[in-house]
């Protein structure tokens, strides 16, 4: 595949952009692969990419029932941070954040990583204590965060109303190297790199069954025929329970809808990301100028990708208190995605009771930021058959053993 560069852009500008290659191929499925990944979201594509790049396993298919990046990866509010409390979480999220720093260069695809800084507002005494504790834990973990006071919050984000009527801003947990990236570009960049390594990305191909013999996976049944494989990675977020059932085991996952909305584009007014977890809202400004807004999950399990009106109302009402200027904005679009929630709000990167079958799920409301680190860890698990240091704590056996990795506060999103 031709590399993207300033010279390539100049050359194509001179010939009416007729010389670009397709970013990824559209192959028919082969009868057999060394490894199959189900789900062409960010986590599935990143897993395939690091299987090829780090472990030399390239006879790989990524099967996607819809279009690549059309699940939560293309529906999220793109916040990237690593300010988690527990050591295993800080390790994988910080690995991920650091991979984001050079992802555009690694993939030769501009993922528009923007380390503009993320703040989590403290609006109660309880949050002040919680975020100070997190800042101290992060210092020990080598994650660069700090607790800042309200004046600094106002300086970093002038459109905030510090003295809100119900929930004044008392301070914030600030991560200067957190930020955002373009979500579609992350999926597209990994897809292009996978295709360039000779991997097959097969869209419109739904996995409908998992075949097995003598306790090991042998392949999958799909809407485009049966495909054999030695190893299977299930990376389907909100549909993890469905795939696990096909493979014959159960997962401690609940599927819920999380929704977001964007306003009409306005002039630049906010160059940091703000999460206000007590009032259930978070906001950033996209490069197009839209205010990108999200709230909490629906209060009931479901598989719709729509969301509900009362949540939009609650989110906007809460944010208007902290950002009065958004009351004047028209909202343009709203959508939902099905997030996969575990009880401890931490992911599962694990072997399963079925030999050769591995699962990566449970990223819930917070897995966009984790895509590179999760792909790295899942590829290592699939290649070696055992988890490496990044994934070791995230096995599904922790729910049986009671070794929870409680991140319900760091998850930062109401659920
Ligand atoms: P997905 O992108 O959902 O990919 C899974 C894929 O599997 C889908 O494309 C699906 O079609 C496919 N699939 C399912 N079943 C089958 C089958 N049977 N056969 C074949 N393919 C199948 N995270 C953050 O870090 N920061 C945020 O700001 C943030 N905001 C969010 C806002 C919203 C509104 C939502 C919904 C999520 C948000 N998240 C955020 C969470 C984040 O989006 C997800 O954790 C992450 O994108 C999950 O990626 P994935 O690759 O695991 O899943
Ligand atoms: O995990 O940072 C996060 C997040 C923000 C909005 C949704 N998830």
């Amino acid at each position: 595949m031709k590399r993207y560069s300033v010279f390539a852009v100049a050359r194509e500008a001179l010939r009416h952009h007729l010389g670009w290659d397709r970013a990824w191929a559209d192959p028919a499925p082969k009868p057999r692969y060394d490894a199959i990944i189900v789900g062409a979201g960010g986590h599935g594509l990143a897993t395939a990419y690091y299987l090829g790049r780090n472990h030399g396993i390239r006879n790989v298919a990524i099967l996607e029932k819809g279009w690549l990046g059309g699940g939560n990866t293309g529906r999220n509010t793109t916040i990237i941070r690593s300010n988690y409390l527990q050591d295993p979480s800080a390790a994988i999220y910080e690995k991920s954040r650091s991979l984001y720093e050079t992802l555009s260069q690694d993939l030769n695809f501009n993922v528009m990583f923007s380390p503009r800084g993320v703040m989590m507002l403290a609006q109660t005494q309880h949050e002040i204590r919680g975020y100070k504790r997190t800042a101290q834990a992060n210092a020990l973990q080598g994650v660069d965060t700090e607790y800042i006071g309200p004046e600094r919050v106002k300086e970093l984000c002038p459109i905030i109303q510090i003295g809100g009527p119900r929930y004044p801003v008392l301070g914030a947990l600030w991560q200067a190297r957190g930020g955002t990236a373009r979500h579609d570009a992350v999926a597209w960049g990994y897809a292009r790199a996978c295709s360039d390594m000779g991997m097959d990305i097969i869209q419109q191909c739904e996995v409908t069954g998992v075949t097995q013999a003598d306790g090991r996976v042998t392949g999958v049944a799909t809407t485009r025929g049966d495909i054999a494989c030695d190893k299977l990675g299930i990376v389907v977020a909100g549909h993890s329970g469905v795939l696990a059932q096909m493979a014959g085991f159960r997962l401690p996952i609940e599927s819920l809808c999380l929704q977001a909305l964007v306003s009409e584009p306005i002039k630049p007014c906010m160059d940091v990301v703000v999460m206000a977890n007590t009032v259930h809202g978070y906001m950033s400004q996209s490069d197009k100028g839209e205010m990108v807004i999200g709230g909490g999950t629906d209060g009931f399990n479901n598989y719709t990708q729509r969301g509900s009106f009362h949540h939009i109302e609650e989110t906007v009402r809460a944010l208007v208190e902290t950002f009065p200027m958004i009351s004047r904005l028209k909202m343009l679009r709203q959508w939902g995605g099905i997030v996969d929630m575990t009880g401890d709000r931490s992911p599962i990167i694990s072997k399963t009771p079925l030999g050769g079958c591995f699962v990566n799920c449970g990223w819930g409301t917070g897995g966009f930021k984790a895509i590179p680190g999760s792909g790295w860890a899942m590829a290592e698990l699939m290649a070696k058959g055992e988890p490496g240091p990044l994934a070791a704590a995230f096995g599904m056996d922790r729910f049986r053993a009671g070794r929870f990795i409680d991140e319900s506060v760091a998850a930062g999103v109401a659920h």
Side-chain angles (χ1 to χ4, degrees):
M1 195 165 293
K2 285 190 204 127
R3 284 185 64 76
Y4 293 156
S5 67
V6 65
F7 304 108
V9 172
R11 184 189 63 228
E12 290 307 321
L14 293 175
R15 53 179 187 182
H16 306 288
H17 293 280
L18 295 173
W20 295 114
D21 291 331
R22 283 185 71 130
W24 50 84
D26 183 23
K30 292 193 285 209
R32 186 192 161 281
Y33 294 91
D34 293 341
I36 286 179
I37 310 291
V38 191
H43 289 256
L45 291 161
T47 300
Y49 172 73
Y50 294 113
L51 267 178
R53 202 195 86 169
N54 294 357
H55 304 283
I57 300 174
R58 296 186 173 182
N59 182 21
V60 175
I62 305 117
L63 309 182
E64 168 55 51
K65 73 173 179 176
W67 66 95
L68 72 86
N72 294 338
T73 298
R75 294 166 184 270
N76 70 83
T77 45
T78 78
I79 299 173
I80 296 171
R81 58 188 173 86
S82 57
N83 54 355
Y84 283 69
L85 181 64
Q86 312 290 351
D87 292 350
S89 326
I92 195 163
Y93 286 107
E94 178 60 11
K95 169 78 178 172
S96 198
R97 197 205 54 75
S98 67
L99 287 169
Y100 263 117
E101 297 252 3
T102 54
L103 196 58
S104 296
Q105 291 82 355
D106 293 346
L107 299 178
N108 180 229
F109 197 99
N110 186 1
V111 303
M112 298 166 72
F113 177 57
S114 164
R116 62 185 67 178
V118 174
M119 64 171 78
M120 288 174 125
L121 301 182
Q123 293 179 288
T124 62
Q125 293 298 328
H126 179 72
E127 276 184 312
I128 295 179
R129 279 198 297 276
Y131 290 147
K132 284 187 174 169
R133 179 184 176 205
T134 302
Q136 282 163 3
N138 289 165
L140 293 172
Q141 293 150 346
V143 175
D144 196 4
T145 63
E146 61 179 310
Y147 184 81
I148 57 176
E151 301 75 26
R152 179 98 172 102
V153 169
K154 183 79 181 166
E155 196 186 318
L156 287 162
C157 186
I159 63 170
I160 279 193
Q161 171 166 278
I162 296 290
R166 278 194 306 169
Y167 292 109
V169 175
L170 306 170
L173 179 65
W174 169 241
Q175 184 169 25
R177 295 299 295 177
T180 60
R182 171 81 198 275
H183 49 13
D184 302 313
V186 172
W188 297 338
Y190 276 119
R192 177 169 170 269
C194 288
S195 187
D196 194 34
M197 284 191 278
M199 297 179 179
D200 287 352
I201 302 167
I202 302 164
Q203 303 182 72
Q204 306 295 327
C205 179
E206 179 169 357
V207 171
T208 53
V210 175
T211 53
Q212 40 188 292
D214 303 325
R216 267 199 80 80
V217 67
T218 54
V220 289
T222 81
T223 47
R224 296 179 64 176
D226 293 351
I227 312 175
C229 65
D230 292 340
K231 292 185 178 183
L232 180 67
I234 296 176
V235 197
V236 293
H239 289 83
S240 300
V242 180
L243 265 289
Q245 195 174 24
M246 291 178 199
F249 59 92
R250 290 184 68 204
L251 283 172
I253 291 278
E254 293 188 46
S255 294
L256 292 149
C257 182
L258 179 68
Q259 63 188 314
L261 59 156
V262 291
S263 75
E264 60 189 329
I266 54 173
K267 285 186 181 166
C269 65
M270 179 181 174
D271 61 2
V272 294
V273 179
V274 177
M275 298 182 69
N277 303 332
T278 287
V279 298
H280 301 168
Y282 36 94
M283 190 162 84
S284 63
Q285 188 166 24
S286 77
D287 294 341
K288 281 186 284 185
E290 300 161 339
M291 303 311 287
V292 181
I293 297 174
T297 53
D298 278 350
F300 48 93
N301 294 0
N302 68 89
Y303 286 97
T304 68
Q305 292 180 314
R306 286 199 300 269
S308 40
F309 282 118
H310 72 276
H311 255 293
I312 302 177
E313 192 187 349
E314 188 192 322
T315 302
V316 171
R317 192 176 53 215
L319 282 179
V320 163
E321 259 189 53
T322 312
F323 301 97
M325 55 84 79
I326 69 165
S327 67
R328 308 285 294 276
L329 290 181
K330 294 190 181 68
M331 294 298 150
L332 279 192
R333 292 188 303 283
Q334 170 273 351
W335 63 90
I338 306 307
V339 296
D340 41 337
M341 308 295 303
T342 59
D344 61 1
R345 308 308 187 220
S346 286
I348 296 172
I349 308 173
S350 185
K351 296 197 279 191
T352 72
L354 180 62
C357 175
F358 305 88
V359 67
N360 178 341
C361 64
W363 294 97
T365 60
F368 175 70
K369 67 176 81 63
I371 285 172
S374 153
W376 185 287
M378 179 70 171
E380 186 173 18
L381 171 64
M382 287 187 69
K384 297 182 177 163
E386 292 296 331
L390 280 181
F394 295 107
M396 54 197 262
D397 57 336
R398 76 175 186 273
F399 295 98
R400 220 182 281 280
R403 279 184 284 101
F404 304 125
I405 306 169
D406 184 355
E407 291 293 4
S408 37
V409 173
V413 174
H415 31 56

